[in-house]
Amino acid sequence: MKQRKLKKLASIFLASSVLVGALAGCGTSTSGGNSVSDDSDTIKIGANLELSGNVASYGSSIGDGATLAVEEINAKGGINGKKIELIKVDNKSENSEATSAAIRLAEKEKVVAMIGPATSGNTVATVSIAEKYKVPVVTASGTAPNVTENKDGKINDYAFRTCFIDPFQGTVAANFATGELGAKNVAIYADNASDYAKGLAASFKETILANGGKVVAEEAYVAKDVDFKATLTKIKSANPDFVFIPGYYEEVGLIVKQARELGITVPLMGADGWDSPTLVDLAGGDALNNTYITNHYSSEDPDATIQEFVKAFKAKYNEAPNAFHALGYDTVYFLKDAIERSGDTITSVGIKNALAETKDLSLITGTFTVDKKHNPVKSATVLEFKNGSQVFNSKVNP
Amino acid sequence: MEWIQQLVNGISLGSIYALIALGYTMVYGIIKLINFAHGDVFMLGAFIGFYAIVRWDMHFILALLLAMVLCAVIGVIIERVAYKRLRNATRIAALITAIGVSLLIEYTVIFFRVRGASPEAYPEVLKNKTIDILGVQISTQSIFILTVSIVLMVLLQFIVHQTKIGKAMRAVSHDADAARLMGINVDNTISATFAIGSALAGAAGVIFGIYYTRIDPLMGILPGLKAFVAAVLGGIGIIPGAMVGGLVLGVVETVVSALGYSLWRDAAAFVILIFILILRPAGIFGKNTREKV
Amino acid sequence: MKKSKVFWGYAVIALVLYVVVQVLISTGALNLYYQNMLITMCINIMLAVSLHIVIGITGQFSIGHAGFLAVGAYISGIFTMNLGMPFPIAILAGSAVAMLAGLLVGIPTLRLKGDYLAIATLGFAEIIRIIFLNIDYVGGAAGMLVDYQTNWTYAFVGVAITILVISNFTNSRHGRACISIREDEIAADSMGINTTYYKVVAFAIGSFFAGLAGAIYAHNFYFIQPTTFGFLKSFDILIIVVLGGLGSLSGSVIAAIFLTIVSTYLQGFPETRMIIYSLVLILVMLYRPTGLMGTKEMTDLFKFSKKGVTKA
């Protein structure tokens, strides 16, 4: 008797759960975006950063730059009288955590904008969340095109970036190599773990071939590695007269040093990932002679606004700011400009619209306008290393 | 020409693995524990050396000795606090604790450093001259590393085979209970083993910093694992084996890169490991022990 | 009759749980943030339980579980994104290939013991990860975009099937054979139990469900890349199993739930998260190495049947 009763109970539950399951399919939660109420005096901006894990140094640098900017803005009275509250969440350099962090920021903290992860890969993971919650995400350093434009050509409405994209830098470098330096046979040694480096290498190669040059060696290295001599020996034996090394300073510093030790004396070139005082510490000023980079900015640029930023940064953090610090700083000001233009009531949707309309905004890393693909159109600078310092070589406009 | 250069590259890399492997092999030989924290002691040695050279203007040899001494102390502390209690627990508990200690050291260093996880660069303390022999570039630093590694290995062999404490170490690794019955203080012997092993790791850390310049808090994980592979390759518990294993691993990795498969380099260590464990688990110098029922 | 009563009892509890959460989600009471946490919990439970059968029940020291997670994730991702298959088929495919990978890894390495087996499995997981890192078809280092297809239903069904199969396996004679291998392999061998067969079977089951978890995982986080599946991930799973108690299925479940919550709340304390995590780990290992539940199960605490199977 008991068994029959139990079975009856079970079947009722089964039926009701099927019903509920069917209903579940109908319910989707749509959010209209977050907003700042008029009587609130804080604007919450989220920062979804790699504060631990593989690329913790990039995430922390962006975080530090952003914090400085927020402090500056708040000291001057904030935006429309409201102070900015920067809420940092660690995504452990993992895309699953980046997604969770984005959800947390949008859902729980109800931020009106998010400063995105440092790497393109992690940013891509948060774009769908941004769309779902209608909160814009701005990555300071995610340079891969697929952050703002997916493979079908559709633009991700809520994704933005402060940096230029890979294809531009690669082309600039290639033209410099064949034009200025007259190189004919080039070698490419790229970081295989980053879309950034791969994108740069691809656009560099394309332009070199279009300019009539030859790629005599194409190698890849693994991030976090310290010994590159085996591959460098291989590159040397291919006899290039120019080597393009797109990647980040942590490895590049060692690559340049070891390349010189092995007797590779030809010009070496890279992109903004080289920019850091640590690069000079790792490679040594001598090894860096006869190397070039394309960059957003240089901490040695005598421009008054830049030097003011450098001074403020040094005062707070006791070190000279690198490109990631500058980009983090600029991202906050990029958002500030958009928030100011977005209207009397600050909403995340309003900010998104204002970001897309940004025009001729003057920041540390250059003056820019946001194009239709949500990418900033800004100029790049080519710099040469002389005795460990970056010396201005030329400016290239898009 | 290129191949000789690659061989030189491989031996330099292998010497560093050998130094770390020596510590691994000693600890495993005596308490059968894979000390995951060993790679992090290596990292601590590198940082101690860095601060000694940069903040206190120490000569690098002194910094090396300081790092060795401090790492020996750290090794003993880790053993006493974390591993001693687990000597009779399941192996997996000891392994998990080792992992916990490893993570704790790494993230505590990141937490307390102003620069967090960012790397540091060793200043140039040993002028690196490149000697050109028949088109092959050998740097003086490579020669330095190889020399130091050999000196330390010889020293270690001397300690293990010619001193009383060495005899105690060999006895305890053979049969701890019997050793205790013979009046050997097993606890102190184990601590001494940890001390020596950690000192070697610390030395490896400073040398790594001088040679490869870049150090960061997470630098110990992969070299630690690879050094373990090297120790197994040479025969776990056998000191010359760790040396040979390290050199072989370094050369193999370099050859893999030279052939154009540099992205598979890290896999090379693990592939070697699996082959060795399946074909000859005792390693190059090991003896096959039969399991008695 | 008693056994089926126990089974129906659990089935009812499971249904109630499912329905309650589903209702909460549909009415919007549980927002995406908590939904995500629940689904992550389910994934962690699946991973912990699948590892539990390898380490806890059969005593095989495997710390490369993230490799099978990776296989499940990538294969299912390929099926949905590149081959356009429906999600359930992709899940099955991912799990099946993960099981194959388990066989490939298990057969050569299961002759090793203790620490050597541990490092060998770790090595294999690293090799799997490096393979995916170097295949451009799945995006290589840049990773692969995967549509969002997971929801509470899939996750819950996954967990239910995992727990059902593994607990039934454990209570069968096959499970008892595995336990005997854990206790004393040589004795089991001499009693006529085919130790190699059972070790491989346990390994295969464990990797199948890890693959299942991988498929659910991939379709929940929009994006997968090889760095996610490194040895730190294997340790994450290992920590859950050990904390819960080796040999206790309910212990693994409880620990999975607990550690997911802890990990999610520590996300707000980025700098100290890892320190707290590792300290907790060490302290638990030092003061209670058998974990929370040892080898006991939750069912031992409830007297559902007078004659209980006592576990050592």
Side-chain angles (χ1 to χ4, degrees), chain A residues 220 227 230 234 250 254 257 261, chain B residues 6 128 212-214 258 262:
Chain A
D227 191 309
K234 193 160 177 262
E250 288 190 13
L254 301 180
K257 178 169 179 246
E261 280 174 12
Chain B
Q6 297 288 31
N128 191 24
Y212 286 114
T213 322
R214 190 185 81 213
S262 54

Side-chain angles (χ1 to χ4, degrees), chain C residues 104-144:
Chain C
L104 253 146
V105 171
I107 292 175
T109 54
L110 284 167
R111 70 181 78 182
L112 301 166
K113 301 209 181 6
D115 298 338
Y116 286 138
L117 174 62
I119 296 286
T121 51
L122 186 67
F124 263 114
E126 277 297 289
I127 293 175
I128 291 177
R129 183 186 65 84
I130 293 177
I131 291 176
F132 281 121
L133 189 69
N134 289 315
I135 298 180
D136 278 326
Y137 180 64
V138 291
M144 187 165 109

Side-chain angles (χ1 to χ4, degrees), chain A residues 17-232:
Chain A
S17 66
V18 168
L19 195 66
V20 170
L23 285 173
C26 306
T28 39
S29 56
T30 44
S31 159
N34 295 332
S35 57
V36 178
S37 63
D38 291 323
D39 48 329
S40 154
D41 58 354
T42 42
I43 303 174
K44 287 185 171 181
I45 296 183
N48 183 350
L49 296 169
E50 294 80 347
L51 297 171
S52 66
N54 290 346
V55 285
S57 50
Y58 303 137
S60 324
S61 298
I62 293 176
D64 289 343
T67 308
L68 179 66
V70 167
E71 280 175 8
E72 274 182 10
I73 296 173
N74 283 345
K76 295 195 187 133
I79 305 177
N80 295 345
K82 302 192 202 289
K83 298 259 184 298
I84 304 179
E85 189 188 339
L86 190 66
I87 303 174
K88 286 193 208 172
V89 183
D90 180 11
N91 61 40
K92 280 196 199 165
S93 304
E94 275 177 42
N95 55 67
S96 58
E97 300 280 346
T99 315
S100 307
I103 294 177
R104 185 202 174 92
L105 285 169
E107 172 93 53
K108 207 156 177 266
E109 305 284 350
K110 300 216 180 298
V111 299
V112 287
M114 291 191 269
I115 298 180
T119 54
S120 307
N122 290 345
T123 312
V124 169
T126 63
V127 165
S128 327
I129 306 289
E131 304 253 344
K132 198 164 188 154
Y133 282 91
K134 299 198 170 34
V135 175
V137 59
V138 185
T139 170
S141 54
T143 48
N146 72 342
V147 169
T148 53
E149 180 184 354
N150 69 26
K151 58 181 183 210
D152 304 319
K154 189 170 107 40
I155 305 300
N156 294 324
D157 224 12
Y158 283 85
F160 296 88
R161 61 174 114 227
T162 323
C163 48
F164 42 51
I165 53 175
D166 299 331
F168 180 52
Q169 282 197 88
T171 311
V172 168
N175 287 331
F176 186 77
T178 51
E180 279 286 318
L181 301 176
K184 300 241 178 3
N185 300 319
V186 307
I188 304 176
Y189 192 20
D191 178 347
N192 103 306
S194 79
D195 333 325
Y196 160 77
K198 280 169 153 177
L200 279 169
S203 60
F204 176 81
K205 185 174 175 186
E206 211 183 296
T207 316
I208 287 283
L209 295 173
N211 292 352
K214 253 182 67 180
V215 178
V216 294
E218 208 174 340
E219 299 288 337
Y221 64 85
V222 180
K224 293 287 167 198
D225 210 354
V226 286
D227 191 309
F228 307 96
K229 290 204 170 150
T231 315
L232 282 169

Side-chain angles (χ1 to χ4, degrees), chain B residues 44-193:
Chain B
L44 286 172
F47 272 92
I48 293 171
F50 175 76
Y51 289 123
I53 294 175
V54 170
R55 299 270 170 86
W56 301 323
D57 274 331
M58 268 195 194
H59 184 258
F60 77 93
I61 297 279
L62 279 174
L64 180 74
L65 289 169
L66 178 69
M68 284 175 77
V69 167
L70 285 178
C71 284
V73 171
I74 293 172
V76 173
I77 293 175
I78 295 175
E79 191 263 323
R80 285 282 151 123
V81 170
Y83 299 149
K84 184 168 171 189
R85 219 185 284 252
L86 295 169
R87 258 182 236 164
N88 294 320
T90 56
R91 297 283 276 286
I92 202 168
L95 194 69
I96 299 279
T97 312
I99 295 170
V101 172
S102 169
L103 289 171
L104 183 66
I105 296 177
E106 284 160 19
Y107 285 94
T108 308
V109 170
I110 294 180
F111 184 70
F112 281 110
R113 276 184 73 216
V114 174
R115 291 172 50 126
S118 304
E120 294 282 7
Y122 255 69
E124 190 153 25
V125 288
L126 187 63
K127 267 292 166 202
N128 191 24
K129 284 186 271 285
T130 322
I131 310 173
D132 195 315
I133 305 177
L134 304 167
V136 176
Q137 319 281 83
I138 303 182
S139 65
T140 48
Q141 279 178 356
S142 304
I143 299 177
F144 170 70
I145 298 176
L146 195 58
T147 315
V148 171
S149 308
I150 294 179
V151 164
L152 284 171
M153 190 206 80
V154 167
L155 196 63
L156 190 64
Q157 277 287 71
F158 175 78
I159 293 176
V160 169
H161 288 282
Q162 308 286 1
T163 63
K164 228 169 143 192
I165 187 79
K167 211 177 224 172
M169 283 193 239
R170 279 182 286 140
V172 173
S173 59
H174 203 75
D175 188 335
D177 289 323
R180 191 175 288 126
L181 289 171
M182 296 305 284
I184 294 175
N185 187 332
V186 171
D187 289 339
N188 286 354
T189 311
I190 293 179
S191 297
T193 312

Side-chain angles (χ1 to χ4, degrees), chain C residues 2-3 6 299-300 302-310:
Chain C
K2 278 193 180 138
K3 263 196 177 162
V6 169
T299 50
D300 292 349
F302 301 119
K303 294 200 182 82
F304 263 29
S305 52
K306 283 187 189 150
K307 284 181 277 169
V309 178
T310 42

Side-chain angles (χ1 to χ4, degrees), chain C residues 40-62:
Chain C
T40 309
M41 235 181 250
C42 290
I43 295 174
N44 283 339
I45 294 176
M46 279 190 267
L47 285 170
V49 172
S50 60
L51 184 61
H52 151 267
I53 198 173
V54 177
I55 301 188
I57 294 295
T58 323
Q60 299 307 297
F61 209 164
S62 160

Side-chain angles (χ1 to χ4, degrees), chain C residues 3 8 18-19 21 23 79 101 115 118 150 274:
Chain C
K3 263 196 177 162
W8 279 114
Y18 170 73
V19 166
V21 176
V23 164
F79 266 70
D115 298 338
T150 308
M274 286 309 283

